[in-house]
Amino acid sequence: MRDICVIGLGLLGGSVLRSAVAAGRTAWGATESGSDAEAATVDGYDAGTDVDAALRRAAERDAVVVSAVPLPAVDEVLRRVAAHAPACVLTDVTSVKGPVLGSVRRLVPQARYAGGHPMTGTAESGWAAGNVALFDGAAWVVCVEDDTDLAVWSEVAALALDAGARVVPLSASAHDEAVARVSHLPHLLAAVLATVGGHGGPLAASLSAGSFGDGTRVAGSRPELVRAMTEGNREALLPVLDEALGMLGATRGSLASTGGLASTINAGYQGMRTLAEHRDAARTEVLVRLDAPDARDGLRALGERGGHITAVADGSVTGQVA
Amino acid sequence: MRDICVIGLGLLGGSVLRSAVAAGRTAWGATESGSDAEAATVDGYDAGTDVDAALRRAAERDAVVVSAVPLPAVDEVLRRVAAHAPACVLTDVTSVKGPVLGSVRRLVPQARYAGGHPMTGTAESGWAAGNVALFDGAAWVVCVEDDTDLAVWSEVAALALDAGARVVPLSASAHDEAVARVSHLPHLLAAVLATVGGHGGPLAASLSAGSFGDGTRVAGSRPELVRAMTEGNREALLPVLDEALGMLGATRGSLASTGGLASTINAGYQGMRTLAEHRDAARTEVLVRLDAPDARDGLRALGERGGHITAVADGSVTGQVA
């Protein structure tokens, strides 16, 4: 198993460091946040604030470098990777993948890169919010582009599997479209709902319960993190936002004209059933040989059909798909 | 304590019957659902399918009659009340109050009525979904109109307090505006989100987690119940829906033009903080004498300021308000 070097020790980076150590790897981290570095050190981890030194050590040990900083800070980390560890296997845990792929191609063109995104909550942040089990059972997208080196991809997938995640192979663009739907739109609708609720004053606070509490929960996330992920996914988010706007506008029109909301409410109920059916579908085990000429297409198709990878072996991967 | 007669033994009616019995009252129920009546009987409650007989018994015993049927069935229950128990204290647990008040005035003009709405979940339904603790700590709106008999209002408030609820006095119109904000809009946004998510197919099912799960939870509620409450509150819901549409449209415009979402996301975060501040505000105890000339205004003001009633005594009520 390769060593792991994590840059950024917040919720995600801190949990990557913990789970890599728990899996028996040698792992160290660096962050510009003195408080996160100190908290990690107090907890017994090899952590500091000298990012360049951590990367030089990664280069010496041929470690996997994990960028675990928010999107606005990714370019600066990549510049340092280019300076100190350009030949290392490189991944990231940023919540959008197309923009990071663009930055990697621009700033570290020689990188041995496969982007990643563990799909976990963002309501809490910082080292203290992380834990070794954060990724257990969660989806962790590991990106496959047409030029992705599948040996590199396997190294990144192994890191995610070690952490207990389901590895979902996808292109960056398929990832970004899907997270616009299931993560970024929910954050925007929660913000709208929390705002409209807030306008209801103390009475709204007194009467709000289940449906409002559920629908607004993520509106309490740190605004700068939500901005980074939603604004960073602008291209994929716009058409999804238009879909929601069109449907809400039609809902308004129907309520105003006929007074009926069956179309909206039935469509939502049907959406829930469809998603539950996908989740509950019987799955079969598949094997993808990584030296096959269509291996990249095979991996991406598996991810797009709701499947995931369960094991990485020498030259092949095992997965499950409906 | 007066006896209680509950018409409709689903989630709400069934829980009212259980909590009235638990509070030491004599209580019985009737429902047109043979399965709910049988389930209630098996559980040891006095329940049957003869609604008219239950109402005649209510008239004999001068019981409080509770209509606990969905909005589309309310008028039929009111006709039977007019025929068999027109002089009883009457309340209901329907999720909109203006339309029910209109029906009562039309169909049982002599009624001794104070409308009610316990604010609890609707994702489950039927007798089996109810329980004796359903209203514990929940808000239960009991309506105060200019012509409400406050002795009648006190009887209904006592029933809600017996069930462990916080009693919130409001006019029907203030109630309907507030629930449009904190209950009906959340249901419509959840339906939109579930639909847009469903369009993402098996990949959306595979990647959706926290924010999507929270934001869509109530889209799994029975569509006919969600339609009844949202369509029934058309007048109050339209302006709230316009508020949400305007904000979502501005969000789209901002993302498309400048790429920025700060305005939307910060407003949502601020809305959450404002609501939390209202909830956490220090409260003082107040006493409202029911024979005061401005008692109705005092009760409604208390509710609108986020307060609630904690006890009903002879001729006065005690409440808490920030």
Side-chain angles (χ1 to χ4, degrees):
Chain A
M1 290 196 295
R2 275 183 208 266
D3 294 354
I4 304 291
C5 167
V6 185
I7 307 302
L9 294 173
L11 172 69
L12 293 179
S15 299
V16 170
L17 181 60
R18 289 177 180 94
S19 63
V21 169
R25 296 184 191 247
T26 299
W28 61 92
T31 170
E32 303 215 317
S33 158
S35 58
D36 280 342
E38 190 182 334
T41 305
V42 167
D43 284 350
Y45 292 89
D46 184 349
T49 56
D50 191 337
V51 170
D52 293 348
L55 290 171
R56 283 194 297 270
R57 182 171 162 201
E60 284 159 21
R61 304 285 299 259
D62 201 16
V64 176
V65 173
V66 182
S67 165
V69 298
L71 184 63
V74 164
D75 281 8
E76 176 57 22
V77 168
L78 293 178
R79 282 188 200 97
R80 289 170 180 231
V81 169
H84 301 293
C88 285
V89 169
L90 174 66
T91 188
D92 69 304
V93 295
T94 324
S95 56
V96 292
K97 300 273 50 83
V100 175
L101 179 64
S103 286
V104 169
R105 287 186 167 151
R106 188 162 44 85
L107 298 169
V108 208
Q110 73 279 44
R112 300 168 63 206
Y113 172 71
H117 179 207
M119 308 278 298
T120 58
T122 57
E124 302 290 320
S125 53
W127 169 271
N131 72 80
V132 69
L134 186 69
F135 309 115
D136 205 27
W140 188 323
V141 174
V142 183
C143 287
V144 182
E145 309 303 326
D146 286 340
D147 59 356
T148 298
D149 178 339
L150 291 184
V152 167
W153 186 90
S154 296
E155 296 275 5
V156 176
L159 175 67
L161 290 170
D162 279 357
R166 296 179 284 121
V167 169
V168 179
L170 287 176
S171 68
S173 63
H175 167 275
D176 289 353
E177 198 270 345
V179 296
R181 240 172 242 287
V182 303
S183 170
H184 301 170
L185 180 62
H187 275 87
L188 296 182
L189 292 182
V192 168
L193 184 56
T195 307
V196 175
H199 292 166
L203 176 56
S206 161
L207 296 190
S208 63
S211 62
F212 186 82
D214 287 344
T216 55
R217 189 154 301 121
V218 294
S221 308
R222 275 175 57 199
E224 60 272 28
L225 296 181
V226 180
R227 282 187 61 187
M229 71 183 186
T230 52
E231 293 175 354
N233 199 24
R234 176 183 184 178
E235 199 182 331
L237 184 51
L238 268 174
V240 168
L241 197 46
D242 281 337
E243 211 176 311
L245 252 181
M247 195 176 158
L248 197 62
T251 301
R252 196 274 175 209
S254 179
L255 184 63
S257 59
T258 69
L261 292 169
S263 169
T264 300
I265 291 163
N266 292 343
Y269 187 74
Q270 189 54 50
M272 294 296 276
R273 290 177 59 99
T274 301
L275 290 166
E277 282 162 16
H278 288 313
R279 270 187 215 103
D280 297 344
R283 286 159 204 285
T284 52
E285 194 162 291
V286 294
L287 185 91
V288 180
R289 291 196 54 85
L290 297 181
D291 59 0
D294 61 350
R296 290 174 189 77
D297 288 336
L299 287 170
R300 289 184 295 229
L302 181 144
E304 283 168 25
R305 285 162 52 203
H308 63 274
I309 300 301
T310 53
V312 176
D314 216 25
S316 70
V317 299
T318 311
Q320 289 194 342
V321 68
Chain B
M1 290 195 294
R2 272 182 211 267
D3 295 354
I4 304 291
C5 166
V6 185
I7 306 303
L9 294 173
L11 171 69
L12 294 179
S15 300
V16 170
L17 181 60
R18 288 177 179 96
S19 63
V21 169
R25 295 185 192 246
T26 299
W28 61 94
T31 170
E32 301 215 317
S33 159
S35 58
D36 280 343
E38 190 182 333
T41 305
V42 166
D43 283 351
Y45 291 90
D46 184 349
T49 55
D50 190 338
V51 170
D52 292 348
L55 290 171
R56 282 192 297 268
R57 183 172 163 200
E60 284 158 21
R61 305 283 300 257
D62 201 15
V64 175
V65 173
V66 181
S67 165
V69 298
L71 185 63
V74 163
D75 281 7
E76 177 56 22
V77 168
L78 293 179
R79 282 187 200 98
R80 290 172 179 229
V81 169
H84 302 294
C88 284
V89 168
L90 174 67
T91 188
D92 70 303
V93 295
T94 324
S95 56
V96 291
K97 300 272 53 81
V100 176
L101 180 62
S103 287
V104 169
R105 287 186 168 152
R106 190 163 41 85
L107 298 169
V108 207
Q110 71 279 45
R112 299 167 63 204
Y113 172 72
H117 179 208
M119 308 279 298
T120 58
T122 57
E124 303 289 321
S125 54
W127 169 270
N131 71 81
V132 69
L134 185 70
F135 309 114
D136 205 28
W140 188 324
V141 174
V142 182
C143 286
V144 182
E145 309 304 325
D146 286 341
D147 60 355
T148 298
D149 178 338
L150 291 183
V152 166
W153 185 90
S154 296
E155 295 276 2
V156 175
L159 174 67
L161 290 169
D162 279 357
R166 295 180 284 120
V167 169
V168 179
L170 288 176
S171 67
S173 63
H175 166 275
D176 289 354
E177 199 270 344
V179 296
R181 242 172 239 286
V182 303
S183 170
H184 301 170
L185 180 62
H187 276 87
L188 296 182
L189 292 181
V192 167
L193 184 57
T195 307
V196 174
H199 292 165
L203 177 56
S206 160
L207 296 190
S208 64
S211 63
F212 187 82
D214 287 343
T216 56
R217 188 153 300 122
V218 294
S221 308
R222 276 174 57 198
E224 61 272 28
L225 295 182
V226 180
R227 283 186 60 188
M229 72 184 186
T230 52
E231 294 175 353
N233 199 24
R234 177 183 182 178
E235 199 183 332
L237 183 52
L238 268 173
V240 168
L241 197 47
D242 281 337
E243 210 175 311
L245 252 180
M247 197 177 157
L248 196 63
T251 301
R252 197 273 175 209
S254 179
L255 183 63
S257 58
T258 68
L261 292 169
S263 168
T264 300
I265 291 163
N266 292 343
Y269 186 74
Q270 189 54 49
M272 294 296 275
R273 290 178 59 99
T274 301
L275 290 167
E277 282 162 16
H278 288 314
R279 270 187 216 102
D280 298 343
R283 285 161 205 285
T284 51
E285 194 163 291
V286 292
L287 184 91
V288 181
R289 292 197 53 84
L290 297 182
D291 59 0
D294 61 349
R296 291 172 189 78
D297 288 335
L299 288 170
R300 290 184 294 227
L302 180 145
E304 282 167 26
R305 285 163 52 203
H308 64 274
I309 300 300
T310 52
V312 176
D314 215 27
S316 70
V317 301
T318 310
Q320 289 194 342
V321 68

